[in-house]
Every structure is written in structure tokens, then in C-alpha cells.
Amino acid sequence: MRGTTNTLTIGERVAWYRRRRGLSQEVLAGLIGRTADWLGKIENNRIELDRLSVIKSLAEVLDISLGDLLGEPSLLDWTGDSGTETVPALRAARMNYRALGPFDSGMDAEPPSVAVLKKEAGTLWDAYQNSRFGYVTSRLPDLLHRAQAAADHHDGDDQDQSRRLLGLAHQLAATQLTKLGESDLAWIAADRGLAAVRPTGDPLVTGSLFRSVGHALHATGRYAEAVRLTEDAAGYLEPHLKHATPALLSVYGTLFLSGSMAAARSNDAATTRTFLAAADHAAGQLGADANHLWTAFGPTNVAIHHVAIAAELGNLQIAIDLGPRVDTAGLPMERRVRHALEVARAYSSWNRVDDAQAVLLDAEQMAPEQVRHHFLSRQLALTWIRRQRGKPSGELVNLARRLKVLD
């Protein structure tokens, strides 16, 4: 049941599922090429289990989903921003049968103009980048409904523009749902987005949606497929790069950033380097940080991916040396906080828990919803609680309660 395992670390979940499958520590460890001693330390929280490549290997052997070990999806809190209709309302919008066939949209009022729809979509994308997850989730169903109605109602250039905006609305749904651990719904959203934009033949929005497909593959641990998607999507965009706009260049570069993380999680260091080099080259062509089509792409985003990849590959010294030096002040909040979580992870793995906790607390101040819904922050706080000898500090206990990992 959603939310009921928040008080378990990933290691404790591994132990629970291992016993449920009737496996000994020796057998499970052997199946992923590890020792029983290593697995025992994982299950007893003496070693942090935060590398997704390893977590995925355990999930595969235990025949469970990646989300089962990460404690996802998590329950989205009701807030002043969200109201009392969150993911279920968005799920209903995702499963609206009217989008599948030649049916009337069911919209009583006149569908919105392209200009109005563009403004509404931009408002929600900006809110997402400001880490206002409840606000975005609660308002997406209406945006999707209105965008579908516009695409069905308008014709000519207005219809193409509406279809592009519908595609971007689906992409936002996929992106937001991925953040909340709703990976299956995110896949449906990305698929719907590609179907909506396909008649326009627009490489920019299509390429942007490929990025969301990649994120959905990440969320389900299908890293090798995400690598192949990066190669296929890049091949699709390359004929359009001769006279690429800054927006298309940003989408192209961001595809490689996502692909580099997938390659790292597949333990493919060579492909990781190749993809990072391609992203770095695109950032150099762009010349500076930008936020075309809400990509937040540029040299700084490439730098923070260097940190995340180093941590994922176990190169903690690189992550610790580089991470705190990256100035993310010019990036959207979502990117800044995601980088902060990687720095906190690196510090914690290096046994610099005070530094890690300070970074996590700062991140929580900036974007409490984002920190609350990321497995790294939840697991870090819970692991620190488990490792305390004696009574944990009041500050740590309060953090864990705010993250809903401590009763």
C-alpha cells in the first residue's frame, strides 16, 4: 500500500522481499555477483544502497519493480497549491478514452485559442521548474482537456500549433509523473504526446518528447533501452541540426544528458563518456546556459550531470571535488535541488554526514515538495536515523518526520 513502506530503508526492503522469496543472503548475493557479507551490511544499513544500477539488479533477481525497492510511487500531500485532487485526477485524464478516437471532446465552452493555451502551458511548465509539484499535478488534467479540445476544434496552422502544445502538455504530465514515481502513467503520457505531435512533423517537440520517453525508461530501470533510445532520437534529430535553432540544439544536448545517466546506470563507461562529450559539444555551440523549451540546458547542466554520473559510477572523490563547486544559481529550482541531492549523497557516502545533512536541509528550504518526493532524500534521512548510536538529534528527527519516513 502506497506510503506504508516509507519507514523502511532500501536495504530493509531488500531483506523483506528476500525473505518473501525464500532466498538466503548467500543465494541472493551470489545471483548478483556479491558476497553474503556485503548483502548483510546492506540489509542492516551499514552500507548505503543508493546506486540505481545495483538496486535494479536486486529488483530483477527478486522479480519486483524498481519502485518496490525505492518506495515509489509516494503519496502526494494535499497542500494549498494542490487542493484535494492530485494523482487520481491526472490518472483519469491520462485514461480519457475520448483521446483515442473520433469522439467529441466533451468540452461545453469554446476551446481556447492558441495564444491562451500557450500561456497556460507555459505557466505550468514554469511552476514545475519551480518545484511546485502539487500545483502542477492538480492543474494538468484541465490543461490536457483544453489542449485536446483545441487540437480537435481548430484547423490549419492553429491545429498544428494546438497539437504541439498538446504534446508539450503530455510531456509535462510525463515529467511530473516520473518525479512522483508514477512510471507507468508517465509512459502513457509520453506515448500520448508523441501521437499528438506526429501529424505536425515537428522535430523540436518530437525530440523533446523523446526525452520524456527516456525518463520513463529510467524510472522503470530499463537503462539499456534508454541508451538505445538516445541513439535513435539523436539520429532522428541530426538531419535537422545543420541550421539548428537554440531550442533544437538544447533538446538535442539534453537527450545526451539523459542518455549519459542511462549509460552510467548500465555500467557502460565508454558510452557514458561519448554521450557526455556530445552534450558538452552542444552546450559549447549554445554558448551559455539557457532554458529553451524548459530544458535548462547549457554548460552548467552538463557539469551537474558530470557530478551525478560520477556518484552513480562510484567515483565519489570526483563527485565531492566537483559537486560543491558547481554554481547552479542561474538554473531553475528543480535543477538546483536535484544537484544538491547528488552532493548530499556524495558527502554521505564519504561519511561526511554533517555536510550531507546541511546540504539536504538547505535543499528542503528551497523546494520542500521536490525533496519530499525523491528517494535519495528519504533514504538518506532514514539511514542517518538508523545509524545513530543513542538518541538521534532533534533536527534529524524533525527532518525525517517532514519527509514522512518516521512516524
Side-chain angles (χ1 to χ4, degrees):
M1 187 179 298
R2 182 170 308 179
T4 58
T5 61
N6 277 2
T7 56
L8 297 179
T9 65
I10 295 175
E12 289 163 353
R13 290 193 191 102
V14 170
W16 190 90
Y17 283 110
R18 175 181 60 76
R19 290 191 290 267
R20 184 75 182 270
R21 293 300 188 199
L23 299 176
S24 67
Q25 287 184 338
E26 290 79 5
V27 169
L28 177 57
L31 289 171
I32 65 166
R34 301 278 184 156
T35 66
D37 179 65
W38 173 86
L39 183 58
K41 290 176 180 177
I42 289 294
E43 294 184 351
N44 290 311
N45 302 306
R46 292 168 62 192
I47 297 177
E48 291 183 18
L49 186 56
D50 52 16
R51 292 178 59 188
L52 284 170
S53 57
V54 181
I55 299 171
K56 179 205 171 201
S57 296
L58 285 163
E60 286 180 342
V61 170
L62 291 167
D63 191 29
I64 56 177
S65 74
L66 184 63
D68 288 328
L69 291 184
L70 298 183
E72 293 182 335
S74 57
L75 186 67
L76 185 63
D77 291 334
W78 289 341
T79 67
D81 255 359
S82 71
T84 58
E85 292 189 356
T86 56
V87 173
L90 185 52
R91 178 179 291 108
R94 297 284 79 240
M95 301 178 73
N96 180 9
Y97 73 88
R98 292 182 184 276
L100 302 178
F103 307 112
D104 180 82
S105 68
M107 188 172 184
D108 295 329
E110 184 80 6
S113 67
V114 170
V116 168
L117 194 60
K118 184 176 182 180
K119 182 178 179 181
E120 291 175 353
T123 296
L124 287 194
W125 267 104
D126 291 343
Y128 166 76
Q129 289 196 318
N130 283 323
S131 301
R132 296 174 63 189
F133 290 177
Y135 179 89
V136 173
T137 303
S138 66
R139 286 157 179 80
L140 265 171
D142 185 59
L143 175 64
L144 288 163
H145 182 51
R146 287 164 60 77
Q148 184 67 59
D152 291 341
H153 174 81
H154 296 308
D155 54 23
D157 184 61
D158 279 355
Q159 184 178 59
D160 280 348
Q161 292 277 28
S162 297
R163 284 171 171 166
R164 291 184 183 97
L165 290 165
L166 176 59
L168 288 173
H170 282 300
Q171 182 186 355
L172 178 56
T175 302
Q176 181 64 87
L177 288 164
T178 300
K179 288 290 187 185
L180 300 176
E182 300 278 359
S183 54
D184 292 341
L185 284 177
W187 178 267
I188 293 172
D191 179 72
R192 289 279 182 86
L194 285 168
V197 78
R198 186 173 292 119
T200 72
D202 186 338
L204 177 63
V205 181
T206 301
S208 190
L209 276 154
F210 280 140
R211 180 164 50 112
S212 291
V213 175
H215 291 160
L217 290 171
H218 276 264
T220 53
R222 296 160 68 186
Y223 304 129
E225 289 183 56
V227 169
R228 290 194 293 272
L229 170 71
T230 302
E231 295 167 341
D232 290 342
Y236 166 79
L237 290 179
E238 279 163 6
H240 304 280
L241 293 178
K242 187 174 181 180
H243 302 291
T245 62
L248 185 60
L249 195 60
S250 297
V251 166
Y252 182 73
T254 307
L255 275 170
F256 280 111
L257 289 182
S258 177
S260 65
M261 286 302 306
R265 290 166 182 167
S266 295
N267 292 310
D268 185 348
T271 301
T272 300
R273 289 191 297 269
T274 298
F275 284 177
L276 270 178
D280 194 46
H281 180 69
Q285 289 180 287
L286 192 62
D289 292 332
N291 195 27
H292 300 292
L293 214 66
W294 301 280
T295 56
F297 183 70
T300 304
N301 206 345
V302 174
I304 67 177
H305 276 77
H306 273 285
V307 175
I309 284 167
E312 185 58 46
L313 292 175
N315 300 324
L316 295 177
Q317 187 65 63
I318 294 175
I320 288 173
D321 288 346
L322 178 61
R325 300 204 310 266
V326 178
D327 182 4
T328 62
L331 294 185
M333 184 61 70
E334 184 274 331
R335 290 285 80 205
R336 294 174 62 190
V337 171
R338 184 64 186 87
H339 175 65
L341 295 182
E342 287 297 344
V343 174
R345 164 165 75 152
Y347 276 146
S348 184
S349 297
W350 210 249
N351 206 29
R352 292 172 58 177
V353 175
D354 289 344
D355 291 328
Q357 188 171 326
V359 170
L360 185 55
L361 286 168
D362 286 345
E364 187 200 18
Q365 285 290 315
M366 292 190 291
E369 285 185 86
Q370 183 175 351
V371 171
R372 157 81 172 84
H373 288 287
H374 201 284
F375 87 92
L376 271 179
S377 48
R378 298 196 304 266
Q379 290 303 306
L380 285 172
L382 192 51
T383 299
W384 297 336
I385 289 281
R386 293 286 195 272
R387 289 181 178 175
Q388 289 279 342
R389 294 181 179 179
K391 187 176 180 181
S393 70
E395 186 176 49
L396 179 54
V397 168
N398 289 334
L399 172 64
R401 284 177 175 157
R402 291 193 300 273
L403 297 182
K404 307 296 178 68
V405 296
L406 192 66
D407 294 329

